[in-house]
Amino acid sequence: MKINVRIFSRQNQLLLIVMLLFIQKAAFTQEHISFGALTFNIEVLSDLTSYTVTERGWKSLSGYNDADTIFSANEIIDRESGEVIRGRIEVWFNYSEDWSLKNQHGRFSFDVRAHVPELIRTIRVTINNLPQGELMTVRSVEDLTVNGTDASFSTMGAQISGLKVHDKWLSIGSREYPVPYWTANMTANKNDVQLIFNTSLRRVDGRKWFNTNAYHLEWYSSLDDLADDHRKNVIELKQAVVPFEERTDVAEWVKDIRLWVILSGRAWKISQPDSTGSFMRHNYAQMKQRLIEMARYFDPHKTAIYVTGWDSYYDCTTPAYKPDPEMGGEEGWRDFVNTAHEMGYHLVLHFDAWVVSFSQPEYWDVVDGSWVSYNPRFGHGSFEQMHTTNFTSLDYEPWRKIFLDRIDDAVQKYGADGVHMDQTHHLYYLGWSDSDHFDNRRGFYRTMMAIKQKYPQFVLQFELPNEASLSLTQIGENPTAHTGWEVPDDKGMLPLLFKKLYMPYIRIVAHLNTSGPHGESGTVFKAVSQQVADDRLEYMRRNDYIPTLKLADWRIDISLEKVQQYFDAALEFDERIESGQLDFNYRGD
C-alpha cells in the first residue's frame, strides 16, 4: 500500500505505518472500513433500491490528487435484487500525522464517490466508535454520554457542530460554499457514539454518479478555537462576510436599531373566524396611531416596524403585495408610511418568496413553476391555516421576474426600507423544497443577489438564521423560549456556537411566533399565558436579541406596565451597546 509520507519524525513514521498496515488488513476482509480507531459503512440510496459493499470488502489504492488514502469497493450489491452490479464506490481520506481519538489530537477528512445504475438520491455514511461527550449545535446542546440519547443537526443551521470530550472539542461537519445539504444523526451507545451522515443530491441534478462534500473531524483546544477557525476559513473567506459594523450592505440606521416592533395588520384567513368575528388586527389608521403612541416611550429613529398582514390576509393573497382597500387603501397606506418616515421610523414589509395564491391572476402565469411539497403536512400550500397557496420556485424565470417587480413596488411605491423573507429555510431542506425541475437554491440566490445589487443597503431579514444565508441577510428572525426550536432549557441561553458563528455578522430579532405583552402568540393569535410572554422577553434579554415588541391587536394599551417592559429592554440594550459592554464577539466558553 502506497502512502504519502510527509516530514514526520522517525517514531511517527513507524506508528503511522503500523496503523496503515492494520487498516489495510481490515479493509480486505470486512464490509466496513477501519480508519483511525473508527469504522465506516457506506450506502448509496436511490428511489427504489440501495447499494452497498459485499462481504468481499474494500481494497486500498495509492493516494493521489492530495488524497492520503483511498479505499475502493471490491464488489457492490443491489440490496433490492441481491445482484452484484457494475459500479464504483470509493472513500478518499486526508489526515494529519497526529490524528488520534485517544489523545484528542489532529484532523482528518473524507469524501465518498459513487457511480451506480440508478439515479442517486443520498449517500449515507455510518461512523462508529466516536467518543462520548456533550454535543453543541447552533440549535441545541445534547448530552451524548447517556446511553440511548439521540441528537441531530444539518446544514439548515450550520455546517459544523462541536463534541466536547473532557476538555477538548471535536469539530464535526463540512467547510463548503455554497453550503451543501446534509443531515447528521448521533446516538450514544453504552461506551461510544454512532454518527450517520446523509448527503443528499437535489432532484434537479439527478445523475447516477455523485461526489459528496468533504466531511471534516478536527480536534480543538476550545470552542473559541473551533468557532474562530470556521469563521475565518469558511464564513469570512468563502462567503466574504465581514463583521456587522463593517458591512457595507448594512445602513447606518440598521446599526442603530434598538427596538423591533411586529405590527399586525390582518391575520390568516382560516376556516373559522376568531372570537371577535374579525381578522382585522390593525388598519392603516390604527397603525399610524401606534407610531404616535410608541414615540412617547422610545426613539423612533432607533425603532424598526415589521408589518405583517399589510397586504390583506397574512400570506394568503401573495403576490398581491399592495395596500388592502379594506384596511384603508392606497391613501391610508401612504398616510401611514409618510408619518412613519417623518417621525424617523423604518418599515420592513412581510414577503414570502415561495408561495403564490390560487386566487391571484399571476398564479396562472407561474403554475408551471410550482411543485407539490414532499412534506405531507404542507400539502399543496403552505401551513395548514393557509390552504390558498402553492409552492413556486424562484428558479422559474417568470416567477422570479414577478417577485422582483413586487420588490421594486415595495421600495418605490410603498416606502419599504426592507423586507422580511419568510420560510427561507426551504432553500436548505430538500424535504420541503426539492423539485424535479428547478434548482430552488440557485433561484433563491439569484433573486436575493439581484435585490442587493439594485438596493445595496435594503434590509433583507430572513426567518431562521443559518450559515448559508449570512452574506445575504443583515437581520435574522429566531425563536424564543417555549417555541420548541431552541435549547431544552426553554428559559436558558442560546447555544454558544450560535452566538459565535452568527452574531458577529448579523443581528437577531424574535420570531413572528413569539408573543407580545397581551399573551398572544403567532400569526393565528393563539392565547398563551402572560408568564410565557414574560419568559420570552427574558429570553431575548439573556441572548442579546434586539428587543422585539409584538403588537398583535389594536386594543392593546401600550401604556400598561406589561408593554412598558419592552421599551425598558430596548433602553437597556442601547446602553449596553453604547457603553461597549456588548460587542457580539462572545469570546470564552
Side-chain angles (χ1 to χ4, degrees):
M1 176 180 178
K2 183 179 178 181
I3 62 172
N4 294 335
V5 178
R6 300 186 180 92
I7 304 175
F8 301 160
S9 68
R10 183 173 182 81
Q11 181 180 8
N12 283 340
Q13 287 184 31
L14 291 173
L15 289 172
L16 185 60
I17 290 171
V18 170
M19 183 178 78
L20 291 176
L21 287 173
F22 172 76
I23 294 171
Q24 184 179 26
K25 180 179 178 182
F28 281 104
T29 58
Q30 300 179 35
E31 296 176 29
H32 63 257
I33 297 171
S34 295
F35 176 86
L38 300 172
T39 64
F40 294 75
N41 289 79
I42 313 297
E43 186 176 8
V44 180
L45 282 66
S46 297
D47 281 334
L48 299 177
T49 189
S50 64
Y51 304 91
T52 190
V53 179
T54 70
E55 62 184 8
R56 291 187 60 205
W58 301 80
K59 60 185 174 184
S60 59
L61 305 175
S62 299
Y64 59 94
N65 284 351
D66 292 327
D68 291 321
T69 303
I70 300 172
F71 291 101
S72 180
N74 284 312
E75 196 172 63
I76 302 170
I77 190 171
D78 181 327
R79 282 190 163 174
E80 183 67 23
S81 66
E83 296 179 1
V84 174
I85 59 98
R86 293 186 63 183
R88 179 169 67 102
I89 301 178
E90 293 181 351
V91 186
W92 292 41
F93 285 98
N94 287 85
Y95 46 83
S96 64
E97 67 274 15
D98 60 343
W99 165 258
S100 171
L101 278 183
K102 181 179 179 180
N103 297 321
Q104 301 177 359
H105 288 298
R107 57 166 178 80
F108 81 86
S109 63
F110 70 92
D111 63 272
V112 181
R113 305 168 188 212
H115 192 173
V116 295
E118 299 294 328
L119 294 178
I120 296 173
R121 298 302 182 208
T122 298
I123 292 182
R124 177 174 295 157
V125 181
T126 302
I127 306 174
N128 290 300
N129 301 328
L130 281 165
Q132 293 184 338
E134 183 179 75
L135 180 73
M136 181 181 292
T137 73
V138 294
R139 293 288 173 204
S140 66
V141 179
E142 307 287 349
D143 184 0
L144 292 180
T145 65
V146 179
N147 188 18
T149 301
D150 293 314
S152 62
F153 55 100
S154 75
T155 48
M156 278 183 67
Q159 292 191 79
I160 60 168
S161 67
L163 184 66
K164 187 176 184 181
V165 183
H166 305 302
D167 61 344
K168 296 289 185 68
W169 287 84
L170 179 63
S171 173
I172 302 171
S174 59
R175 300 173 178 175
E176 309 288 334
Y177 192 77
V179 174
Y181 178 70
W182 52 258
T183 62
N185 296 90
M186 300 182 74
T187 302
N189 300 316
K190 185 176 181 181
N191 298 309
D192 59 12
V193 171
Q194 181 187 76
L195 167 63
I196 300 177
F197 282 121
N198 285 292
T199 310
S200 297
L201 181 64
R202 293 174 183 271
R203 286 180 176 269
V204 70
D205 296 327
R207 55 181 183 260
K208 298 178 180 180
W209 60 269
F210 184 32
N211 188 161
T212 72
N213 52 273
Y215 285 105
H216 296 258
L217 283 81
E218 182 167 359
W219 288 103
Y220 292 89
S221 60
S222 69
L223 184 62
D224 274 341
D225 290 344
L226 182 155
D228 287 350
D229 185 62
H230 193 76
R231 284 171 48 189
K232 177 182 177 181
N233 293 307
V234 182
I235 293 174
E236 295 183 2
L237 179 64
K238 295 186 176 182
Q239 289 202 51
V241 182
V242 298
F244 183 82
E245 293 294 339
E246 301 172 23
R247 289 181 62 161
T248 58
D249 64 335
V250 177
E252 288 304 315
W253 71 264
V254 178
K255 296 176 183 177
D256 289 338
I257 291 299
R258 303 294 187 259
L259 177 65
W260 187 264
V261 178
I262 302 173
L263 189 56
S264 297
R266 297 186 80 169
W268 271 333
K269 187 176 183 179
I270 57 179
S271 57
Q272 296 295 324
D274 64 11
S275 59
T276 67
S278 171
F279 298 100
M280 191 76 73
R281 295 297 173 162
H282 289 89
N283 60 30
Y284 301 142
Q286 290 163 341
M287 288 182 182
K288 174 183 173 180
Q289 185 60 32
R290 284 292 189 214
L291 303 177
I292 298 169
E293 292 173 357
M294 287 189 293
R296 300 171 189 162
Y297 305 107
F298 196 74
D299 185 353
H301 295 85
K302 296 184 177 183
T303 305
I305 310 293
Y306 164 34
V307 190
T308 67
W310 66 279
D311 56 332
S312 186
Y313 296 108
Y314 169 82
D315 260 3
C316 295
T317 59
T318 58
Y321 294 127
K322 60 185 178 182
D324 180 2
E326 295 183 23
M327 296 177 69
E330 296 269 353
E331 183 177 351
W333 177 259
R334 281 198 301 272
D335 190 28
F336 164 66
V337 171
N338 290 339
T339 300
H341 286 157
E342 287 169 4
M343 296 181 71
Y345 292 103
H346 290 84
L347 300 178
V348 176
L349 306 186
H350 180 89
F351 269 63
D352 192 322
W354 300 104
V355 296
V356 177
S357 173
F358 305 140
S359 67
Q360 299 301 308
E362 292 88 353
Y363 175 76
W364 298 104
D365 297 325
V366 302
V367 65
D368 290 339
S370 299
W371 77 94
V372 176
S373 169
Y374 290 97
N375 187 330
R377 179 171 113 76
F378 282 75
H380 286 273
S382 188
F383 291 94
E384 58 266 30
Q385 293 91 347
M386 302 158 53
H387 290 308
T388 60
T389 58
N390 202 14
F391 280 122
T392 306
S393 178
L394 285 169
D395 201 39
Y396 185 58
E397 188 173 2
W399 171 229
R400 185 165 67 251
K401 183 179 184 305
I402 290 172
F403 188 80
L404 288 172
D405 286 345
R406 295 301 185 272
I407 294 292
D408 285 341
D409 287 346
V411 177
Q412 298 172 22
K413 291 178 63 175
Y414 304 131
D417 302 295
V419 294
H420 163 89
M421 289 292 178
D422 211 27
Q423 306 187 69
T424 53
H425 49 291
H426 284 313
L427 169 63
Y428 315 109
Y429 182 20
L430 299 189
W432 293 352
S433 66
D434 203 6
S435 170
D436 290 321
H437 306 292
F438 307 107
D439 185 334
N440 297 309
R441 176 174 64 176
R442 177 177 61 198
F444 184 83
Y445 273 80
R446 280 180 173 176
T447 305
M448 296 305 113
M449 289 176 177
I451 296 170
K452 292 182 76 68
Q453 183 175 18
K454 190 167 186 178
Y455 305 107
Q457 293 192 321
F458 190 66
V459 167
L460 294 176
Q461 182 222 351
F462 285 2
E463 180 181 23
L464 297 182
N466 52 63
E467 182 182 331
S469 67
L470 288 176
S471 64
L472 301 175
T473 184
Q474 304 98 330
I475 297 176
E477 182 193 61
N478 206 56
T480 53
H482 304 291
T483 59
W485 294 335
E486 290 304 323
V487 292
D489 178 5
D490 288 329
K491 301 174 187 177
M493 303 293 290
L494 271 170
L496 269 173
L497 191 60
F498 179 104
K499 294 183 176 182
K500 290 174 184 292
L501 291 185
Y502 297 157
M503 294 180 80
Y505 308 108
I506 63 175
R507 293 295 173 260
I508 304 298
V509 298
H511 191 272
L512 180 60
N513 194 43
T514 193
S515 53
H518 42 78
E520 291 182 347
S521 174
T523 51
V524 291
F525 309 104
K526 178 181 178 182
V528 298
S529 70
Q530 187 61 49
Q531 184 60 54
V532 168
D534 293 344
D535 287 345
R536 286 171 168 163
L537 176 58
E538 181 58 27
Y539 192 88
M540 297 178 214
R541 280 174 155 148
R542 289 187 181 209
N543 292 292
D544 303 325
Y545 286 43
I546 297 176
T548 304
L549 167 62
K550 183 172 182 177
L551 296 175
D553 195 284
W554 65 271
R555 293 165 294 188
I556 298 168
D557 181 356
I558 69 170
S559 69
L560 296 178
E561 183 179 352
K562 61 184 180 181
V563 185
Q564 291 296 309
Q565 62 180 340
Y566 290 82
F567 299 121
D568 292 341
L571 289 169
E572 293 168 8
F573 185 70
D574 186 41
E575 184 178 349
R576 291 178 64 208
I577 293 177
E578 295 302 322
S579 67
Q581 180 184 353
L582 177 57
D583 63 7
F584 298 98
N585 285 320
Y586 301 103
R587 296 291 302 175
D589 291 351

